[in-house]
């Protein structure tokens, strides 16, 4: 394509001097941005104070950003590309202040303008470009890669509308659009000069070229431009700034012009809208949206633009011999969402670079790596062939060819085993033939990993077993993590200062150093224990203020804060939590309050807008909360609140304030969990099933510092054939009381029947989540929690031991493992 940008720029690059970081220069730049750039003066809306400060800081990342790029683009430098449809970033200002080490100077600078840093920071809208764990993981990975100076570039989509905002109206979830870009986004830099063109639609043409070689041309007809917007990702006090490159879709110019000149203005605008829809909105479902044309367009848009950009960067380094491409590039695919990239790289190598199939395949399968995030069948992506045919005709041909050659390999290994061939085929037969994206990812990748030890084991035992038998060496585990910068150093400054006063601050960059806290948990450390409790208490006051503001419910900071925040999903079993709450409420009503521990139960999370039962569970939580909180007999023994619009910035207040972390999924269903890790780092104790990373948390903290309950994954599977929920109700007086209340409409006298669907699910022998099977074990574990809480010294020791044992769950460790086993990059950003 002809570019609007000349390649001969009359400009000589000059060396950039770093900008000074003292309070005075920060203050004067802040003032300059506010007045001269933004045109705002005294008394302006506070969001402009945030913007002026963000520009001030972004300027100070520029020199390191440029130097980091310079380093990563050196000849022979190998790079990894993290491709993800989601990056749940949250706020950037506070995180950059921490990583740049300019928090104090900035605070000082703002004081001169009578602005409070914390208030300015809270003006930043969350960048909510993700649903939950998977998207937040990608964001934590970006932070750790920069902090470890790993040459990793993130690729994603710059959604105009991020995750919807949740409101609660009469107990029901209401979704509002999240137009997070409305006031502008100071962190991003548009790089229109690196625009890529992404093909859609049309037909393919097979021909013989001048050398007599069979070639294919894709004559597409709905091309879209992908414009990159770069966000700086600062490393932790290491002068390294990595890049998150987010693509925005726009219409091609010539297409608009053609229509426009033909006098069809409105058609031209429609085509423009059609193109721009691709990056308009994040799909708000944390299991996948199968069959939606727009979603497939998003996936190919990301994959194609990113692969082309990586190819461009590599050629810019002076490379042209594609037999060396795999030595310099590796693509990590976050779930199956971007896996059409396997076929796209093949297309570029074969159609564009003129390579033979075998050579191209050898390169592709050395470049691609795939991370699986779930075993839930509804989350396995399958795309109808007819959609592929219409949108991506050339890509479908390539997938057919990949599959034909792959099935030949399968039939050589297992001659005559047609049943196995059918199971392993990338194309699923049936009424509507479909492309199995996970199979494409496995066949095209040299590395396939799960995200916690149990999950990776279940993958090779079950879902991926056929492939494991064929290629055992491809499969590995990489247990997830979270970044301790955002989730401890930023979110919990009180605890950070306390820990650093004891063991120095090296733990922020090497979380395994937290182990050194263990020697401080002996009896002779009364002061340390008191300080630890005081920090937690202050964090609970901060959360109580938020809960009062958002829910109108008063939480007493001296009560046990019992917290479950995560997407609302049946497998995560918010219902089990709620059954326990109702059980506690019944105990109060029956006067059974012996050895009582006062509790504040906080639940938060969004339900996918189309997930009817999940939304009804939210309503039930709110109905129970209403009754409990307004019953004078309860008298502070129990409080229940549903916190609306759970997101990254609210978790930054929640995690540091929790005493008890609820991780109660049906065993075998939660791939890893990462909320569990944020809570552990911040000194909460976990009540949890033997599932996902809970198992590794339990092993690290010690069984005696963890409240384990419930069936194991194998027991869940065994019970499934003969699950009789009614027998638990009949045999357990407490459960019977709770179920009777629900059946009698105790919480919904004015809206009879609204919870029937919830109750029917619990009582169905086909309930996949087997909630009632774990009720007794859960209630008993909760009773152990209450007893442990009464001994505050004992509880505090367990809390410290959880934090001290959390080092393994840093994404620094996760990224070092990805790098050691998969990426094999040489660290090195800008020089310190
Ligand atoms: C950490 C996090 C999650 C993931 O929580 P899980 O409990 O692992 O499901 C989801 N959403 C937000 C905003 C988070 O910060």
């Amino acid at each position: 394509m002809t570019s609007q940008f000349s390649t001969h720029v009359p400009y000589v690059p000059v060396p950039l001097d770093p900008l000074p970081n003292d309070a005075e220069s920060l203050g004067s730049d802040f003032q300059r941005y506010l007045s001269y750039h933004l045109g705002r003066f005294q008394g302006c809306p506070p969001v402009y104070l945030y913007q002026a400060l963000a520009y001030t800081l972004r300027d100070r990342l520029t020199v390191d950003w440029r130097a980091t790029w310079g380093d990563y683009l050196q000849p022979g430098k190998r790079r990894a590309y993290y491709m993800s449809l989601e990056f749940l970033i949250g706020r950037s200002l506070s995180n950059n202040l921490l990583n740049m080490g300019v928090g104090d100077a900035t605070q000082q600078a703002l004081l001169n303008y009578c602005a409070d840093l914390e208030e300015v920071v809270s003006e930043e809208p969350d960048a909510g470009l993700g649903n939950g764990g998977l998207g937040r993981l990608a964001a934590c990975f970006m932070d750790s890669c920069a902090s470890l100076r790993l040459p990793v570039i993130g690729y994603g989509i710059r959604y105009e509308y991020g995750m919807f905002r949740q409101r609660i109206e009469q107990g029901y979830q209401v979704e509002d659009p999240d137009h997070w870009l409305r006031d502008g986004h100071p962190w991003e830099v548009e790089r229109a000069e690196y625009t890529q063109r992404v093909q859609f639609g049309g037909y393919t043409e097979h021909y013989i070229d001048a050398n007599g070689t069979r070639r294919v041309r894709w004559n597409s007809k709905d091309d879209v431009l992908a414009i990159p917007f770069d966000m700086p990702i600062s490393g932790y006090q290491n002068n390294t700034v990595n890049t998150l490159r987010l693509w925005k879709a726009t219409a091609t110019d010539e297409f608009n012009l053609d229509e426009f000149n033909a006098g069809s203005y409105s058609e031209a605008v429609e085509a423009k809208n059609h193109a721009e829809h691709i990056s308009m909105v994040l799909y708000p479902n944390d299991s996948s949206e199968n069959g939606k044309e727009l979603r497939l367009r998003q996936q190919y848009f990301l994959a194609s633009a990113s692969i082309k950009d990586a190819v461009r960067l590599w050629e810019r380094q002076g490379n042209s011999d594609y037999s060396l491409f795999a030595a310099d590039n590796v693509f990590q695919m976050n779930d199956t969402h971007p896996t059409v990239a396997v076929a796209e790289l093949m297309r570029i190598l074969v159609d564009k670079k003129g390579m033979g199939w075998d050579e191209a395949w050898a390169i592709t399968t050395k470049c691609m790596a795939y991370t699986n995030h779930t075993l839930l069948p509804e989350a396995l992506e399958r795309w109808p062939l007819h959609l592929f045919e219409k949108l991506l005709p050339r890509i479908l041909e390539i997938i057919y060819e990949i599959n034909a050659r792959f099935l030949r390999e399968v039939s050589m290994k297992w001659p005559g085993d047609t049943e196995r061939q059918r199971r392993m085929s990338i194309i699923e037969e049936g009424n509507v033939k479909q492309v199995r994206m996970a199979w494409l990812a496995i066949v095209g990748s040299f590395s396939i990993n799960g995200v916690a030890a149990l999950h990776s084991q279940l993958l090779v035992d079950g879902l991926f077993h056929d492939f494991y038998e064929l290629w055992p060496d491809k499969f590995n585990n990489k247990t997830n993590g979270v970044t301790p910068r955002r989730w401890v150093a930023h979110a919990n400054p009180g605890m950070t200062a306390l820990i650093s006063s004891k063991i120095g601050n090296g733990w922020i960059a090497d979380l395994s150093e937290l182990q050194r806290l263990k020697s401080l948990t002996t009896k002779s450390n009364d002061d340390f224990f008191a300080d630890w409790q005081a920090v937690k208490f202050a964090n609970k006051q901060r959360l109580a203020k938020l809960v009062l503001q958002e829910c109108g419910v008063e939480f007493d900071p001296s009560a046990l804060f019992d917290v479950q925040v995560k997407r609302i999903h049946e497998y995560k079993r918010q219902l089990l939590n709620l059954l326990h709450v109702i059980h506690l409420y019944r105990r109060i009503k029956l006067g059974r309050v012996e050895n009582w521990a006062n509790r504040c139960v906080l639940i938060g999370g969004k339900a996918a807008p189309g997930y009817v039962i999940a939304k009804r569970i939210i309503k039930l939580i709110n109905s129970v909360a209403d009754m409990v909180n307004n019953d004078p007999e309860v008298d502070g023994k129990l409080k229940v609140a549903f916190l609306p619009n759970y997101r990254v910035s609210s978790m930054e207040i929640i995690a540091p304030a929790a005493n008890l972390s609820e991780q109660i999924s049906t065993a075998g269903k939660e791939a890893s969990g990462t909320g569990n890790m944020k809570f552990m780092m911040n000194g909460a104790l976990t009540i949890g099933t033997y599932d996902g990373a809970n198992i590794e948390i339990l092993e690290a903290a010690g069984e005696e510092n963890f409240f384990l309950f419930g069936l194991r994954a194998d027991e869940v599977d065994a019970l499934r054939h003969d699950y009789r929920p009614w027998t638990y109700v009949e045999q357990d007086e407490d459960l019977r009381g709770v179920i009777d209340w629900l059946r009698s409409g105790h919480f919904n006298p004015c809206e009879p029947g609204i919870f029937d669907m919830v109750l029917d699910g619990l009582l169905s022998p086909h309930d996949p989540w087997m909630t009632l099977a774990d009720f007794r074990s859960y209630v008993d574990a909760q009773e152990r929690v209450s007893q442990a809480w009464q001994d505050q010294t004992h509880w505090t020791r367990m809390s410290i031991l959880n934090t001290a044992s959390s080092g393994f769950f840093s994404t620094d460790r996760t990224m070092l493992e990805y790098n050691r086993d998969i990426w094999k990059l040489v660290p090195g950003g800008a020089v310190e």
Side-chain angles (χ1 to χ4, degrees), residues 88 131-134 136 482 487 565-567 571-572 646-651 662-663 670 672-676 678-679:
L88 189 48
N131 274 280
L134 174 147
R136 183 54 231 175
V482 302
W487 295 114
V565 286
K566 48 182 75 243
R567 287 305 288 259
Y571 85 83
K572 291 176 181 281
Y646 172 59
R647 60 198 189 280
V648 171
S649 57
S650 44
M651 186 55 158
E662 298 272 354
Q663 308 299 337
E670 185 74 272
S672 163
T674 51
N676 47 5
K678 298 166 202 165
F679 283 116

Side-chain angles (χ1 to χ4, degrees), residues 283-502:
Y283 273 97
N285 196 329
D286 64 340
S287 345
S288 71
E289 299 271 356
N290 279 317
K292 300 259 169 63
E293 175 175 332
L294 180 59
R295 174 73 174 181
L296 182 57
R297 292 200 326 137
Q298 289 183 339
Q299 296 188 349
Y300 184 66
F301 174 74
L302 170 65
S304 178
S306 307
I307 296 267
K308 286 174 173 170
D309 193 55
V311 164
R312 177 189 65 78
L313 286 171
W314 185 72
E315 290 186 349
R316 180 170 135 182
Q317 275 175 294
N319 296 296
S320 53
D321 177 357
Y322 272 82
S323 68
L324 303 175
F325 187 77
D328 291 341
N329 299 284
V330 56
F331 298 88
Q332 189 72 43
M333 300 181 288
N334 197 20
D335 213 319
T336 52
H337 314 153
T339 50
V340 67
V342 170
E344 176 66 0
L345 182 54
M346 281 302 286
R347 187 184 72 82
I348 287 171
L349 294 176
V350 173
D351 292 359
K352 298 290 171 186
K353 306 297 172 186
M355 258 185 190
W357 184 277
D358 291 331
E359 201 187 348
W361 186 243
I363 293 166
T364 298
T365 51
K366 279 195 199 93
C367 285
M368 294 289 168
Y370 157 55
T371 304
N372 173 277
H373 283 271
T374 176
L375 295 154
L376 299 184
E378 66 267 30
L380 287 177
E381 288 196 301
R382 293 178 170 83
W383 291 106
L385 285 195
H386 63 81
L387 254 189
F388 254 95
E389 202 146 26
K390 178 174 119 185
L391 290 179
L392 309 168
R394 178 56 183 145
I395 294 298
L396 182 60
E397 287 179 352
I398 288 171
I399 292 174
Y400 280 148
E401 183 70 28
I402 292 171
N403 195 39
R405 288 165 183 254
F406 166 63
L407 288 179
R408 236 172 283 154
E409 197 178 333
V410 172
S411 70
M412 296 225 290
K413 167 110 181 171
W414 293 287
D417 192 345
T418 51
E419 174 56 21
R420 195 187 288 258
Q421 287 180 39
R422 191 191 56 75
R423 286 201 307 266
M424 297 179 80
S425 173
I426 296 171
I427 309 296
E428 183 177 80
E429 301 294 329
N431 256 352
V432 182
K433 292 187 182 177
Q434 316 217 68
V435 183
R436 294 164 163 156
M437 298 308 278
W439 280 204
L440 176 62
I442 294 171
V443 172
S445 297
F446 68 93
S447 166
I448 298 126
N449 72 283
V451 291
L454 173 72
H455 168 63
S456 298
Q457 191 60 48
L458 292 175
L459 280 179
V460 298
D461 288 347
L463 191 59
F464 295 170
H465 190 69
D466 288 325
F467 293 92
Y468 178 65
E469 288 191 319
L470 186 59
W471 299 309
D473 297 341
K474 281 192 183 188
F475 293 85
N476 64 93
N477 173 247
K478 296 286 169 283
T479 299
N480 284 163
V482 302
T483 169
R485 266 76 61 184
R486 180 178 296 264
W487 295 114
V488 185
H490 158 63
N492 200 341
M495 196 175 92
T496 297
L498 176 57
I499 293 174
S500 296
S501 75
K502 299 293 177 190

Side-chain angles (χ1 to χ4, degrees), residues 92-390:
S92 292
L93 175 52
S94 40
N95 203 244
N96 283 327
L97 285 171
L98 172 74
N99 285 354
M100 296 161 73
V102 295
D104 291 344
T106 304
Q107 185 138 35
Q108 191 57 47
L110 284 190
L111 280 181
N112 298 334
Y113 301 93
C114 296
D116 176 58
L117 181 55
E118 228 174 283
E119 278 168 34
V120 172
V121 156
S122 68
E123 286 297 320
E124 179 171 6
D126 276 38
L129 309 184
N131 274 280
L134 174 147
R136 183 54 231 175
L137 184 77
C140 283
F141 279 8
M142 294 307 294
D143 177 273
S144 280
C145 287
S147 295
L148 294 164
R149 306 155 101 242
L150 291 174
V152 176
I153 293 154
Y155 281 125
I157 293 181
R158 181 182 177 274
Y159 301 106
E160 206 79 30
Y161 291 86
M163 189 61 204
F164 67 82
R165 285 200 309 246
Q166 179 195 56
R167 266 187 304 125
I168 300 298
E169 218 171 78
Q170 316 217 314
Y172 290 98
Q173 165 173 302
V174 178
E175 301 100 23
D176 288 329
D178 168 44
H179 199 185
W180 70 293
L181 290 169
R182 194 188 45 205
D183 297 322
H185 183 40
W187 298 108
E188 68 185 7
V189 178
E190 179 175 354
R191 300 222 183 271
E193 64 273 36
Y194 302 135
T195 296
Q196 293 292 348
R197 192 183 176 103
V198 178
Q199 294 180 271
F200 286 102
Y203 60 95
T204 64
E205 211 181 319
H206 292 243
Y207 66 100
I208 309 285
D209 74 7
N211 303 322
T213 313
R214 295 173 54 99
R215 304 289 297 271
V216 183
R217 193 164 30 228
W218 176 5
N219 298 304
S220 53
K221 72 173 195 23
D222 291 317
D223 291 5
V224 169
L225 297 183
I227 302 177
F229 286 70
D230 287 355
M231 270 184 77
I233 306 291
S234 55
Y236 179 65
Q237 302 185 2
N238 67 355
N239 300 88
T240 299
V241 181
N242 279 4
T243 300
L244 173 59
R245 181 159 283 178
L246 302 176
W247 300 102
K248 174 193 165 109
T250 68
T252 58
D253 289 342
E254 70 265 34
F255 194 87
N256 276 330
L257 269 181
D258 287 351
E259 295 270 4
F260 190 72
N261 292 337
S264 340
Y265 179 74
S266 58
E267 279 86 346
V269 171
E270 217 168 277
K272 185 171 155 64
N273 282 340
H274 187 64
E276 293 181 356
H277 266 142
I278 291 179
S279 57
M280 194 56 70
V281 60
L282 167 80
Y283 273 97
N285 196 329
D286 64 340
S287 345
S288 71
E289 299 271 356
N290 279 317
K292 300 259 169 63
E293 175 175 332
L294 180 59
R295 174 73 174 181
L296 182 57
R297 292 200 326 137
Q298 289 183 339
Q299 296 188 349
Y300 184 66
F301 174 74
L302 170 65
S304 178
S306 307
I307 296 267
K308 286 174 173 170
D309 193 55
V311 164
R312 177 189 65 78
L313 286 171
W314 185 72
E315 290 186 349
R316 180 170 135 182
Q317 275 175 294
N319 296 296
S320 53
D321 177 357
Y322 272 82
S323 68
L324 303 175
F325 187 77
D328 291 341
N329 299 284
V330 56
F331 298 88
Q332 189 72 43
M333 300 181 288
N334 197 20
D335 213 319
T336 52
H337 314 153
T339 50
V340 67
V342 170
E344 176 66 0
L345 182 54
M346 281 302 286
R347 187 184 72 82
I348 287 171
L349 294 176
V350 173
D351 292 359
K352 298 290 171 186
K353 306 297 172 186
M355 258 185 190
W357 184 277
D358 291 331
E359 201 187 348
W361 186 243
I363 293 166
T364 298
T365 51
K366 279 195 199 93
C367 285
M368 294 289 168
Y370 157 55
T371 304
N372 173 277
H373 283 271
T374 176
L375 295 154
L376 299 184
E378 66 267 30
L380 287 177
E381 288 196 301
R382 293 178 170 83
W383 291 106
L385 285 195
H386 63 81
L387 254 189
F388 254 95
E389 202 146 26
K390 178 174 119 185

